[in-house]
Structure formats: structure tokens, C-alpha cells
Amino acid sequence: MRIDIVTALPNIVRGPLEESIPGRARKKNLLDVHVHDLRDHAFDKYKQVDDTPFGGGAGMVLKPEPIFSCIESIMEEVGESVDEVIFLTPDGAVLDQSLANELSLKKHLVLLAGHYKGVDQRVRDKLVTREVSIGDYVLSGGELPALVLVDALARLIPGVLGDASSALTDSFQDGFLDAPCYTRPALFREMKVPDVLTSGDHRRIDEWRDEQRLVKTRERRPDLLDSANERSRTDN
């Protein structure tokens, strides 16, 4: 997979891309990430990429010219291989595991990180194919959401995780939260690991985990159970 990140603040994203799962994916040549500085595509000597909004109001808006120039240069470089141009914005579709799974099957994504008040609407109308939010809150820009999306996708690329089944058992993969997990020592400060997990009986362990996942989901995210029930009724 190739991902191009377009941003006015490239230093925010460069460091984290060298670490953890995204860094591992890049070292294995399973993920190719390119970071593009919008200021390299500014048209004036001051490298200005934002301006005040027409009609007045607070905040600054990213100008269309640098964004069009940057994304079009990416497309000229790679030809027709860009699958999606994704704008990270609070008013986009909320990122969930289903969307991450869908996007992980793409070969080439361009991520546009908004900043300040946002981007000129003409960018959204003509270049952007999908808009994604990481939650119902506002950050200073789209750089951190872009990193969240890259991390969510990187772990789903075959060969990135040491155990491929690890990603398949994550929370939300099948609509439920994950079960509690434990490691050594089995007894710590008088707190004991559940006996079933040390029993060696894998059928009982699977049953315990399924039960715990249901309990946790019912307690913390009953909306997920409602969604699962609705899908079941629709399928039937």
C-alpha cells in the first residue's frame, strides 16, 4: 500500500511514521508513505498556504492553489493508481473498524490534512473522494487524524503483524469489544489470573472469551449490540 499525506505541517507526522506498527510496515516495504509539504506548492514568495475566509469570520482557510498543485503532482507521478483522496475533517464519516477494513484493501490513498478553519470548498468538491473523521470533536488540524488512519490501516496489511490473527481478534472486528487479557505472572499482588486461562482447555477458553466480550460490550457499548441485532434482522 502507498499513502501520500498532504499537510501544511509535515513535521507533525514524520516522526510517528518511523515508530511502532507503521514504522515496522515501512521497514518491511509493505507500506510506502510519502509526506508532502503544502508550502512547497505555494505560489508566492512568502509560501502562504492560507488566507482569510470570504464573507468574514474568524480563522484562516487553506488556499486551493497549493492543494490542487500538490495532489495533481502526485497523480501525475503515479498515473491512475490513486484509489481515494481522503480529507480528514470533523464533519466526515466517523472512522470505525469496518471503514478501516475497507480502506485497507486499497492500493493507494492520498490523505489531505486540513488545518486552521479548514480547506477551500472547491478542493472538497473537485479533488476529495471521501471525508473521514476520527470522532465528534475538533483538533487543531488533520495531521493527528491522518496518523490515526495510517496506524489503523497498517496493522491490517498482511505480513505487518507477527501474528496475522491478532488484528482479526481486535475490538470491533466483529462488532464486539475485546475480552480482558492477562500475561505472566499468574499471581500478582494477590490478584490471580482466571483459572480458565491457565487450564489449557482451548474450547473453554474460547467460550470464556466470547462471554466476556459480550459482557463488556453490553456494559460499555450497548449501541454495538443494537447495531448487530439490526443487521441480523436485515439479513433475515
Side-chain angles (χ1 to χ4, degrees):
M1 172 182 280
R2 169 169 169 159
I3 298 177
D4 289 83
I5 301 176
V6 178
T7 170
L9 298 168
N11 289 337
I12 292 180
V13 300
R14 284 181 175 140
L17 291 171
E18 301 294 330
E19 305 296 334
S20 191
I21 301 301
R24 183 189 306 175
R26 297 179 74 188
K27 289 176 182 176
K28 290 184 174 182
N29 294 319
L30 298 173
L31 176 64
D32 185 19
V33 182
H34 299 256
V35 180
H36 303 268
D37 187 346
L38 270 180
R39 297 186 191 280
D40 292 338
H41 295 267
F43 285 76
D44 68 299
K45 65 180 181 179
Y46 300 107
K47 301 293 184 181
Q48 184 178 356
V49 296
D50 64 326
D51 209 332
T52 55
F54 279 119
M60 302 290 281
V61 179
L62 287 176
K63 295 164 61 67
E65 306 102 304
I67 298 175
F68 269 82
S69 173
C70 184
I71 293 179
E72 286 173 350
S73 69
I74 294 170
M75 292 180 171
E76 288 175 6
E77 175 191 346
V78 301
E80 300 296 323
S81 73
V82 176
D83 294 307
E84 298 261 15
V85 176
I86 299 174
F87 177 44
L88 285 308
T89 174
D91 55 356
V94 177
L95 176 65
D96 59 14
Q97 194 60 49
S98 176
L99 178 55
N101 290 344
E102 176 188 344
L103 293 176
S104 73
L105 301 177
K106 307 291 186 180
K107 296 297 184 182
H108 189 180
L109 302 175
V110 175
L111 308 184
L112 172 59
H115 211 79
Y116 313 114
K117 189 67 175 177
V119 303
D120 188 289
Q121 183 63 36
R122 290 166 288 189
V123 172
R124 303 173 78 163
D125 291 341
K126 295 297 184 181
L127 292 177
V128 172
T129 61
R130 190 189 296 257
E131 300 183 346
V132 173
S133 167
I134 63 167
D136 295 338
Y137 48 88
V138 178
L139 299 174
S140 299
E143 287 77 18
L144 296 180
L147 289 172
V148 168
L149 181 54
V150 170
D151 191 278
L153 299 180
R155 62 185 295 103
L156 296 173
I157 298 173
V160 171
L161 298 182
D163 182 353
S165 65
S166 178
L168 298 179
T169 57
D170 286 340
S171 290
F172 306 111
Q173 274 293 3
D174 57 0
F176 296 90
L177 302 181
D178 202 0
C181 55
Y182 298 84
T183 189
R184 295 176 179 82
L187 181 64
F188 175 69
R189 296 187 180 181
E190 301 183 358
M191 294 180 287
K192 192 173 183 297
V193 171
D195 291 336
V196 63
L197 296 180
T198 59
S199 68
D201 187 332
H202 295 292
R203 181 184 61 80
R204 287 182 56 215
I205 291 171
D206 288 343
E207 290 174 350
W208 180 87
R209 285 176 172 157
D210 287 343
E211 179 184 356
Q212 292 298 313
R213 295 171 72 232
L214 180 60
V215 169
K216 182 187 284 189
T217 304
R218 184 181 292 121
E219 290 177 348
R220 301 186 182 184
R221 292 292 304 275
D223 57 297
L224 296 177
L225 295 179
D226 293 339
S227 297
N229 290 334
E230 181 62 31
R231 287 195 302 272
S232 178
R233 286 194 294 269
T234 302
D235 292 342
N236 293 332

